[in-house]
Amino acid sequence: MTKSKKSSNLMSYAGTVGALLILCVILTIASPNFLKFSNFMSILKQTPFTALTACGMLFCLITAGIDLSVGANATFCACVAGMMIQRGITTNSFVLVIVALIVGTLIGFINGTLLTRLHLPHPFVSTLGMKNVLWGASLWITGSQMVSFSGLDGVMWLGAADVGGVPVSFIILLILYVIMHVLLTRTSLGRSIYCAGGNMEATRLSGINSANVLTFCYTLSGFMAALAGVVSIGRSGICNGVNAIQPYDTDAIASCIIGGASFNGGKGTMIGTMIGALIIITLRNGFTLLSISSAVQNMVLGLVIIGAVLLDVTRERMEAKARRMAAK
Protein backbone atom coordinates (compact mmCIF):
# COMPACT_ATOMS: atom_id res chain seq x y z
CA MET A 1 0.00 0.00 0.00
CA THR A 2 1.40 3.40 -1.01
CA LYS A 3 1.84 6.33 1.35
CA SER A 4 -0.88 8.34 -0.40
CA LYS A 5 -3.33 5.45 -0.10
CA LYS A 6 -2.53 5.00 3.60
CA SER A 7 -3.03 8.73 4.14
CA SER A 8 -6.35 8.59 2.28
CA ASN A 9 -7.52 5.67 4.41
CA LEU A 10 -6.55 7.46 7.62
CA MET A 11 -8.46 10.57 6.54
CA SER A 12 -11.47 8.41 5.71
CA TYR A 13 -11.33 6.69 9.13
CA ALA A 14 -10.99 10.07 10.85
CA GLY A 15 -14.09 11.37 9.09
CA THR A 16 -16.13 8.26 9.91
CA VAL A 17 -15.01 8.16 13.56
CA GLY A 18 -15.75 11.89 13.77
CA ALA A 19 -19.28 11.28 12.51
CA LEU A 20 -19.76 8.54 15.14
CA LEU A 21 -18.50 10.84 17.92
CA ILE A 22 -20.75 13.70 16.79
CA LEU A 23 -23.72 11.32 16.74
CA CYS A 24 -22.89 10.17 20.29
CA VAL A 25 -22.67 13.78 21.52
CA ILE A 26 -26.04 14.63 19.97
CA LEU A 27 -27.71 11.56 21.50
CA THR A 28 -26.10 12.27 24.88
CA ILE A 29 -27.70 15.72 24.85
CA ALA A 30 -31.03 14.42 23.54
CA SER A 31 -31.36 11.46 25.93
CA PRO A 32 -29.97 11.08 29.48
CA ASN A 33 -30.16 7.29 29.09
CA PHE A 34 -27.69 7.13 26.20
CA LEU A 35 -24.54 7.15 28.37
CA LYS A 36 -25.74 4.36 30.65
CA PHE A 37 -23.55 1.24 30.69
CA SER A 38 -26.57 -0.97 29.97
CA ASN A 39 -27.32 1.06 26.85
CA PHE A 40 -23.74 0.73 25.55
CA MET A 41 -23.92 -3.03 26.10
CA SER A 42 -27.22 -3.02 24.22
CA ILE A 43 -25.49 -1.32 21.26
CA LEU A 44 -22.69 -3.91 21.35
CA LYS A 45 -25.29 -6.70 21.43
CA GLN A 46 -27.18 -5.29 18.44
CA THR A 47 -24.08 -4.57 16.34
CA PRO A 48 -22.97 -8.15 15.46
CA PHE A 49 -25.98 -8.99 13.28
CA THR A 50 -25.57 -5.88 11.12
CA ALA A 51 -21.75 -6.07 11.14
CA LEU A 52 -21.71 -9.75 10.09
CA THR A 53 -24.05 -9.17 7.14
CA ALA A 54 -22.04 -6.04 6.29
CA CYS A 55 -18.81 -8.06 6.28
CA GLY A 56 -20.11 -10.32 3.51
CA MET A 57 -21.65 -7.33 1.73
CA LEU A 58 -18.29 -5.55 1.73
CA PHE A 59 -16.58 -8.38 -0.15
CA CYS A 60 -19.33 -8.22 -2.80
CA LEU A 61 -19.17 -4.41 -3.03
CA ILE A 62 -15.39 -4.46 -3.46
CA THR A 63 -15.94 -6.58 -6.59
CA ALA A 64 -18.48 -3.97 -7.83
CA GLY A 65 -21.32 -6.35 -6.95
CA ILE A 66 -24.01 -6.51 -4.29
CA ASP A 67 -25.82 -9.15 -2.23
CA LEU A 68 -29.41 -8.14 -1.52
CA SER A 69 -30.21 -11.54 0.00
CA VAL A 70 -28.09 -11.30 3.17
CA GLY A 71 -30.98 -10.43 5.50
CA ALA A 72 -33.32 -13.03 4.02
CA ASN A 73 -30.52 -15.60 4.08
CA ALA A 74 -29.92 -14.96 7.80
CA THR A 75 -33.63 -15.34 8.55
CA PHE A 76 -33.93 -18.47 6.41
CA CYS A 77 -30.99 -20.14 8.19
CA ALA A 78 -32.64 -19.44 11.55
CA CYS A 79 -35.91 -20.82 10.19
CA VAL A 80 -34.18 -24.00 8.94
CA ALA A 81 -33.01 -24.62 12.52
CA GLY A 82 -36.51 -23.82 13.76
CA MET A 83 -38.10 -26.18 11.25
CA MET A 84 -35.86 -29.03 12.44
CA ILE A 85 -37.07 -28.47 16.00
CA GLN A 86 -40.68 -27.99 14.92
CA ARG A 87 -40.76 -31.29 13.01
CA GLY A 88 -38.86 -33.23 15.65
CA ILE A 89 -35.83 -33.88 13.43
CA THR A 90 -33.30 -32.95 16.13
CA THR A 91 -32.78 -30.71 19.14
CA ASN A 92 -29.00 -31.12 19.20
CA SER A 93 -27.62 -27.57 19.35
CA PHE A 94 -24.38 -28.42 17.55
CA VAL A 95 -26.23 -30.04 14.64
CA LEU A 96 -28.69 -27.15 14.39
CA VAL A 97 -25.91 -24.55 14.20
CA ILE A 98 -23.82 -26.52 11.70
CA VAL A 99 -26.82 -27.14 9.42
CA ALA A 100 -27.73 -23.43 9.53
CA LEU A 101 -24.16 -22.43 8.60
CA ILE A 102 -24.00 -24.97 5.76
CA VAL A 103 -27.36 -23.85 4.34
CA GLY A 104 -26.38 -20.16 4.38
CA THR A 105 -23.00 -20.88 2.79
CA LEU A 106 -24.66 -22.97 0.08
CA ILE A 107 -27.08 -20.15 -0.72
CA GLY A 108 -24.14 -17.78 -1.06
CA PHE A 109 -22.45 -20.26 -3.38
CA ILE A 110 -25.60 -20.43 -5.50
CA ASN A 111 -25.65 -16.62 -5.74
CA GLY A 112 -22.04 -16.67 -6.93
CA THR A 113 -22.74 -19.46 -9.41
CA LEU A 114 -25.73 -17.63 -10.89
CA LEU A 115 -23.44 -14.67 -11.54
CA THR A 116 -20.29 -16.40 -12.75
CA ARG A 117 -21.41 -19.68 -14.35
CA LEU A 118 -24.92 -18.91 -15.57
CA HIS A 119 -23.89 -15.33 -16.44
CA LEU A 120 -26.86 -13.41 -15.08
CA PRO A 121 -26.34 -9.77 -16.09
CA HIS A 122 -25.84 -8.32 -12.60
CA PRO A 123 -25.85 -9.64 -9.02
CA PHE A 124 -28.67 -7.19 -8.28
CA VAL A 125 -30.95 -9.45 -10.34
CA SER A 126 -29.94 -12.81 -8.88
CA THR A 127 -29.67 -11.72 -5.25
CA LEU A 128 -32.95 -9.76 -5.34
CA GLY A 129 -34.62 -12.86 -6.75
CA MET A 130 -32.95 -15.00 -4.09
CA LYS A 131 -34.20 -12.62 -1.39
CA ASN A 132 -37.80 -13.22 -2.44
CA VAL A 133 -37.25 -16.98 -2.77
CA LEU A 134 -35.84 -17.13 0.77
CA TRP A 135 -38.66 -14.96 2.12
CA GLY A 136 -41.24 -17.38 0.79
CA ALA A 137 -39.18 -20.41 1.83
CA SER A 138 -38.79 -19.08 5.39
CA LEU A 139 -42.57 -18.82 5.76
CA TRP A 140 -43.20 -22.16 4.04
CA ILE A 141 -40.85 -24.37 6.07
CA THR A 142 -42.14 -22.98 9.40
CA GLY A 143 -45.80 -22.87 8.37
CA SER A 144 -45.71 -19.07 8.85
CA GLN A 145 -45.28 -19.64 12.59
CA MET A 146 -42.72 -18.38 15.06
CA VAL A 147 -40.58 -21.18 16.53
CA SER A 148 -39.14 -20.90 20.04
CA PHE A 149 -35.62 -22.04 20.92
CA SER A 150 -36.36 -21.97 24.64
CA GLY A 151 -34.16 -24.44 26.52
CA LEU A 152 -31.64 -24.80 23.67
CA ASP A 153 -28.85 -22.86 25.33
CA GLY A 154 -26.24 -24.18 22.89
CA VAL A 155 -28.00 -22.57 19.92
CA MET A 156 -28.71 -19.35 21.79
CA TRP A 157 -25.24 -19.05 23.34
CA LEU A 158 -23.64 -17.05 20.53
CA GLY A 159 -26.29 -14.35 20.57
CA ALA A 160 -27.18 -14.37 24.28
CA ALA A 161 -24.00 -15.06 26.30
CA ASP A 162 -21.66 -12.40 27.62
CA VAL A 163 -18.26 -12.15 29.33
CA GLY A 164 -18.09 -9.50 32.03
CA GLY A 165 -21.13 -7.83 30.49
CA VAL A 166 -19.60 -7.73 27.00
CA PRO A 167 -21.57 -9.86 24.50
CA VAL A 168 -19.75 -12.96 23.25
CA SER A 169 -21.12 -12.23 19.77
CA PHE A 170 -19.29 -8.88 19.73
CA ILE A 171 -16.01 -10.48 20.85
CA ILE A 172 -16.29 -13.10 18.09
CA LEU A 173 -17.20 -10.33 15.64
CA LEU A 174 -13.97 -8.47 16.42
CA ILE A 175 -11.94 -11.66 15.91
CA LEU A 176 -13.63 -12.32 12.56
CA TYR A 177 -13.07 -8.74 11.42
CA VAL A 178 -9.35 -8.99 12.23
CA ILE A 179 -9.14 -12.23 10.21
CA MET A 180 -10.99 -10.66 7.27
CA HIS A 181 -8.82 -7.55 7.46
CA VAL A 182 -5.71 -9.71 7.19
CA LEU A 183 -7.27 -11.66 4.31
CA LEU A 184 -8.02 -8.47 2.37
CA THR A 185 -4.74 -6.67 3.05
CA ARG A 186 -2.10 -9.38 3.43
CA THR A 187 -3.02 -12.20 1.03
CA SER A 188 -2.99 -12.73 -2.73
CA LEU A 189 -6.70 -13.55 -2.58
CA GLY A 190 -7.38 -10.16 -1.00
CA ARG A 191 -5.40 -8.40 -3.72
CA SER A 192 -7.33 -10.40 -6.33
CA ILE A 193 -10.64 -9.26 -4.82
CA TYR A 194 -9.64 -5.59 -5.00
CA CYS A 195 -8.26 -6.11 -8.48
CA ALA A 196 -11.51 -7.71 -9.65
CA GLY A 197 -13.44 -4.71 -8.40
CA GLY A 198 -11.06 -2.19 -9.89
CA ASN A 199 -10.88 -3.65 -13.41
CA MET A 200 -12.40 -7.05 -14.23
CA GLU A 201 -10.82 -7.26 -17.68
CA ALA A 202 -7.35 -6.45 -16.34
CA THR A 203 -7.90 -9.09 -13.66
CA ARG A 204 -8.66 -11.71 -16.31
CA LEU A 205 -5.68 -10.72 -18.44
CA SER A 206 -3.36 -10.94 -15.43
CA GLY A 207 -4.21 -14.63 -15.06
CA ILE A 208 -6.54 -14.35 -12.07
CA ASN A 209 -9.63 -16.58 -12.24
CA SER A 210 -12.19 -13.82 -11.67
CA ALA A 211 -15.10 -16.29 -11.65
CA ASN A 212 -13.60 -18.14 -8.68
CA VAL A 213 -12.87 -14.86 -6.88
CA LEU A 214 -16.47 -13.68 -7.28
CA THR A 215 -17.87 -17.05 -6.26
CA PHE A 216 -15.71 -16.97 -3.12
CA CYS A 217 -17.01 -13.49 -2.19
CA TYR A 218 -20.68 -14.47 -2.51
CA THR A 219 -20.10 -17.77 -0.71
CA LEU A 220 -18.42 -15.88 2.15
CA SER A 221 -21.34 -13.46 2.20
CA GLY A 222 -23.69 -16.44 2.59
CA PHE A 223 -21.63 -17.84 5.47
CA MET A 224 -21.59 -14.48 7.27
CA ALA A 225 -25.36 -14.16 6.79
CA ALA A 226 -25.83 -17.64 8.27
CA LEU A 227 -23.70 -16.70 11.26
CA ALA A 228 -25.81 -13.57 11.69
CA GLY A 229 -28.89 -15.79 11.62
CA VAL A 230 -27.51 -17.89 14.48
CA VAL A 231 -26.79 -14.68 16.42
CA SER A 232 -30.37 -13.51 15.84
CA ILE A 233 -31.68 -16.69 17.49
CA GLY A 234 -29.79 -15.86 20.68
CA ARG A 235 -30.99 -12.25 20.61
CA SER A 236 -34.71 -13.00 20.26
CA GLY A 237 -35.04 -16.65 21.30
CA ILE A 238 -37.22 -17.34 18.25
CA CYS A 239 -37.17 -17.52 14.47
CA ASN A 240 -39.82 -15.78 12.39
CA GLY A 241 -40.04 -16.08 8.61
CA VAL A 242 -41.71 -12.67 8.34
CA ASN A 243 -38.36 -11.07 9.23
CA ALA A 244 -36.91 -12.17 5.88
CA ILE A 245 -38.40 -9.06 4.25
CA GLN A 246 -36.95 -6.67 6.86
CA PRO A 247 -34.41 -4.12 5.50
CA TYR A 248 -31.39 -5.88 7.00
CA ASP A 249 -29.61 -5.71 3.66
CA THR A 250 -30.11 -1.93 3.64
CA ASP A 251 -28.34 -1.62 7.01
CA ALA A 252 -25.50 -3.79 5.70
CA ILE A 253 -25.11 -1.67 2.56
CA ALA A 254 -25.26 1.55 4.58
CA SER A 255 -22.55 0.27 6.95
CA CYS A 256 -20.21 -0.46 4.04
CA ILE A 257 -20.85 2.79 2.15
CA ILE A 258 -20.55 4.95 5.27
CA GLY A 259 -17.32 3.06 6.02
CA GLY A 260 -15.79 4.04 2.68
CA ALA A 261 -16.83 1.28 0.24
CA SER A 262 -18.04 2.20 -3.24
CA PHE A 263 -20.69 0.82 -5.58
CA ASN A 264 -18.07 1.18 -8.32
CA GLY A 265 -15.91 -1.47 -6.62
CA GLY A 266 -12.24 -1.64 -5.71
CA LYS A 267 -12.68 0.17 -2.38
CA GLY A 268 -13.62 -0.62 1.20
CA THR A 269 -12.02 -1.80 4.44
CA MET A 270 -13.05 -3.92 7.40
CA ILE A 271 -12.23 -1.10 9.85
CA GLY A 272 -14.40 1.37 7.97
CA THR A 273 -17.23 -1.14 7.76
CA MET A 274 -17.11 -1.79 11.51
CA ILE A 275 -17.32 1.93 12.24
CA GLY A 276 -20.15 2.22 9.71
CA ALA A 277 -22.07 -0.59 11.43
CA LEU A 278 -21.59 1.12 14.81
CA ILE A 279 -22.98 4.35 13.33
CA ILE A 280 -26.07 2.58 11.97
CA ILE A 281 -26.77 0.73 15.23
CA THR A 282 -26.09 3.82 17.37
CA LEU A 283 -28.49 5.76 15.15
CA ARG A 284 -31.18 3.10 15.54
CA ASN A 285 -30.52 2.94 19.28
CA GLY A 286 -30.97 6.71 19.51
CA PHE A 287 -34.24 6.48 17.59
CA THR A 288 -35.51 3.93 20.11
CA LEU A 289 -34.45 6.04 23.10
CA LEU A 290 -36.22 9.05 21.60
CA SER A 291 -39.32 6.97 20.70
CA ILE A 292 -39.10 7.87 17.02
CA SER A 293 -41.38 5.84 14.74
CA SER A 294 -40.01 3.17 12.43
CA ALA A 295 -41.33 5.12 9.42
CA VAL A 296 -39.14 8.11 10.30
CA GLN A 297 -36.22 5.77 11.09
CA ASN A 298 -36.33 4.28 7.59
CA MET A 299 -36.61 7.73 6.01
CA VAL A 300 -33.56 8.99 7.90
CA LEU A 301 -31.56 5.85 7.11
CA GLY A 302 -32.43 6.27 3.43
CA LEU A 303 -31.17 9.86 3.54
CA VAL A 304 -27.98 8.68 5.27
CA ILE A 305 -27.33 6.18 2.45
CA ILE A 306 -28.01 8.83 -0.22
CA GLY A 307 -25.65 11.22 1.58
CA ALA A 308 -22.94 8.57 1.84
CA VAL A 309 -23.23 7.69 -1.87
CA LEU A 310 -23.18 11.39 -2.81
CA LEU A 311 -20.04 11.84 -0.71
CA ASP A 312 -18.45 8.84 -2.44
CA VAL A 313 -19.30 10.18 -5.91
CA THR A 314 -17.94 13.63 -5.01
CA ARG A 315 -14.74 12.05 -3.66
CA GLU A 316 -14.32 10.00 -6.86
CA ARG A 317 -14.72 13.13 -9.00
CA MET A 318 -12.18 15.06 -6.95
CA GLU A 319 -9.67 12.19 -7.15
CA ALA A 320 -10.20 11.90 -10.91
CA LYS A 321 -9.70 15.64 -11.30
CA ALA A 322 -6.51 15.50 -9.20
CA ARG A 323 -5.17 12.68 -11.41
CA ARG A 324 -5.90 14.68 -14.57
CA MET A 325 -4.15 17.75 -13.13
CA ALA A 326 -1.14 15.64 -12.12
CA ALA A 327 -0.92 14.16 -15.64
CA LYS A 328 -0.64 17.59 -17.27
Side-chain angles (χ1 to χ4, degrees), residues 47-325:
T47 299
F49 183 90
T50 297
L52 285 169
T53 54
C55 176
M57 183 71 73
L58 175 65
F59 276 73
C60 298
L61 286 173
I62 290 175
T63 64
I66 196 167
D67 186 355
L68 297 176
S69 69
V70 289
N73 193 356
T75 301
F76 179 68
C77 291
C79 286
V80 167
M83 176 271 293
M84 294 174 71
I85 296 169
Q86 192 180 48
R87 300 186 183 181
I89 297 173
T90 183
T91 56
N92 184 291
S93 296
F94 179 77
V95 173
L96 291 172
V97 170
I98 293 300
V99 169
L101 294 177
I102 291 173
V103 168
T105 305
L106 180 60
I107 290 168
F109 176 77
I110 292 171
N111 281 335
T113 301
L114 289 173
L115 176 65
T116 60
R117 313 299 177 187
L118 299 183
H119 306 294
L120 266 66
H122 194 276
F124 181 94
V125 177
S126 55
T127 59
L128 181 60
M130 183 61 77
K131 175 179 180 175
N132 283 275
V133 169
L134 295 175
W135 177 27
S138 298
L139 293 171
W140 177 53
I141 64 175
T142 57
S144 299
Q145 297 178 343
M146 291 187 293
V147 181
S148 173
F149 289 84
S150 178
L152 297 175
D153 295 340
V155 180
M156 297 178 61
W157 177 82
L158 183 60
D162 64 77
V163 177
V166 180
V168 168
S169 56
F170 189 79
I171 296 171
I172 293 175
L173 172 70
L174 292 178
I175 295 170
L176 283 173
Y177 261 57
V178 169
I179 293 171
M180 294 303 151
H181 173 75
V182 172
L183 188 153
L184 281 175
T185 60
R186 296 287 185 269
T187 68
S188 59
L189 175 58
R191 289 190 289 272
S192 298
I193 291 170
Y194 280 110
C195 187
N199 190 321
M200 190 63 73
E201 183 61 19
T203 303
R204 186 183 64 82
L205 292 174
S206 65
I208 297 172
N209 190 322
S210 57
N212 285 349
V213 170
L214 291 176
T215 302
F216 169 80
C217 290
Y218 286 89
T219 302
L220 178 65
S221 181
F223 173 78
M224 288 297 176
L227 196 56
V230 174
V231 168
S232 72
I233 293 172
R235 280 177 53 191
S236 64
I238 62 169
C239 68
N240 188 356
V242 175
N243 290 335
I245 203 63
Q246 292 295 319
Y248 299 134
D249 49 340
T250 306
D251 283 4
I253 293 169
S255 300
C256 296
I257 298 300
I258 291 171
S262 171
F263 284 114
N264 295 322
K267 292 171 60 179
T269 64
M270 297 307 305
I271 298 173
T273 301
M274 172 61 81
I275 301 170
L278 285 170
I279 288 175
I280 294 298
I281 297 303
T282 302
L283 193 60
R284 287 200 178 277
N285 176 263
F287 287 146
T288 302
L289 291 175
L290 298 174
S291 301
I292 296 175
S293 70
S294 59
V296 175
Q297 290 185 35
N298 290 327
M299 289 169 61
V300 172
L301 183 59
L303 291 173
V304 168
I305 295 174
I306 291 171
V309 173
L310 182 61
L311 181 64
D312 175 56
V313 170
T314 303
R315 185 169 57 236
E316 290 278 357
R317 287 175 179 170
M318 291 177 65
E319 289 176 357
K321 184 177 179 180
R323 285 194 296 269
R324 286 196 300 270
M325 293 292 290

